[in-house]
Amino acid sequence: MDISQQTALVTGANRGLGRQLALELISRGATVYAGARNTDSIQLPGAKPLQIDITDPTSVAAAAEVAGDVTLLINNAGVSTGSSLINGSLEDIHTEFNTHFFGTLSMVRAFAPKIASNGGGTILNILSVLSWFSSVNSGAYSAAKSAEWALTNAIRLELADQKVRVAGLHVGYMDTDMTARITAPKLNAADVAKLAIDGIQADSYEILADELSRKVQKGLAGGVSALYPQFV
């Protein structure tokens, strides 16, 4: 894919990885719609601010009419409530799934036909190493991201004959607002953005941004005991 010839939409582009993805795309010559619920929060010279709430189908439909020339969709908008599946608020758990699964699905259903009618292109879903691995403090987030991974695999099959390539980015902790309370080592979001766009440019289906993601992916073949040695 020639990035300089693409019209991209990045959701959650007002901060964190989304902002860095938009900046990276702009630097490579792409036309960029920067999506956020509040367009006043978007500070991206060269981007086209686009109001969108991915959990609101009416908002998504309106955005698809405005940005009908998109050939590259990056589903980055996300949320982390820190909720436990056992003891957490059901409202928080619904928020996780409404954002990561149903919100992503809503975006795909609205924009995939646009991408196909524009001659084809790519959808990149920003996933996580927690799509493949759960911790005590990430129950709702991991479950929702795992569902988004399954969604990514399914729509890749469904959209292949429409010349819409579907990719997923798996990444560990990044230095963003979402991980501010986490003390573990974190990746630089700008570096991850570069890796992600490099992967799109190379037509990759799966982009692993760090060693942790590669290690966990390999561990999947080993079953429960490989990923959770406490259950050996």
Side-chain angles (χ1 to χ4, degrees):
M1 172 178 275
D2 183 350
I3 298 299
S4 69
Q5 299 300 309
Q6 307 308 310
T7 297
L9 166 56
V10 181
T11 62
N14 55 321
R15 61 180 182 175
L17 178 61
R19 185 172 190 278
Q20 295 301 325
L21 287 164
L23 286 169
E24 185 66 26
L25 287 164
I26 292 168
S27 75
R28 300 192 193 198
T31 298
V32 177
Y33 290 99
R37 285 177 294 181
N38 177 11
T39 56
D40 290 339
S41 66
I42 299 171
Q43 303 297 324
L44 284 165
K48 300 179 180 181
L50 181 67
Q51 196 284 324
I52 187 166
D53 178 350
I54 70 168
T55 66
D56 179 355
T58 300
S59 175
V60 171
E65 289 303 310
V66 173
D69 54 343
V70 163
T71 56
L72 171 57
L73 170 64
I74 300 184
N75 287 311
N76 166 76
V79 65
S80 177
T81 66
S83 289
S84 159
L85 289 174
I86 301 300
N87 301 313
S89 158
L90 280 176
E91 182 178 356
D92 284 347
I93 296 168
H94 278 290
T95 294
E96 298 271 10
F97 275 85
N98 286 338
T99 303
H100 298 126
F101 182 83
F102 290 107
T104 298
L105 178 60
S106 181
M107 289 294 295
V108 170
R109 289 167 66 103
F111 281 93
K114 304 288 186 184
I115 296 172
S117 69
N118 291 328
T122 296
I123 296 171
L124 174 66
N125 292 336
I126 304 301
L127 302 172
S128 170
V129 68
L130 295 176
S131 309
W132 295 328
F133 179 83
S134 294
S135 70
V136 174
N137 299 318
S138 68
Y141 183 86
S142 293
K145 279 296 185 182
S146 183
E148 188 181 2
W149 175 45
L151 177 157
T152 300
N153 292 331
I155 64 172
R156 181 182 297 121
L157 295 170
E158 292 195 40
L159 294 175
D161 62 356
Q162 299 178 44
K163 296 183 179 180
V164 179
R165 179 179 294 267
V166 179
L169 170 75
H170 292 268
V171 59
Y173 294 127
M174 289 179 289
D175 190 10
T176 65
D177 292 347
M178 188 179 288
T179 62
R181 295 172 295 174
I182 296 172
T183 58
K186 302 172 189 177
L187 300 171
N188 182 284
D191 293 339
V192 175
K194 184 179 185 303
L195 285 168
I197 305 306
D198 284 347
I200 293 173
Q201 188 166 285
D203 291 335
S204 300
Y205 287 109
E206 196 164 57
I207 305 163
L208 277 61
D210 57 358
E211 184 56 34
L212 176 61
S213 296
R214 289 186 283 272
K215 179 180 179 181
V216 172
Q217 185 194 52
K218 290 178 181 178
L220 292 173
V224 171
S225 62
L227 294 177
Y228 307 99
Q230 65 269 40
F231 295 123
V232 172

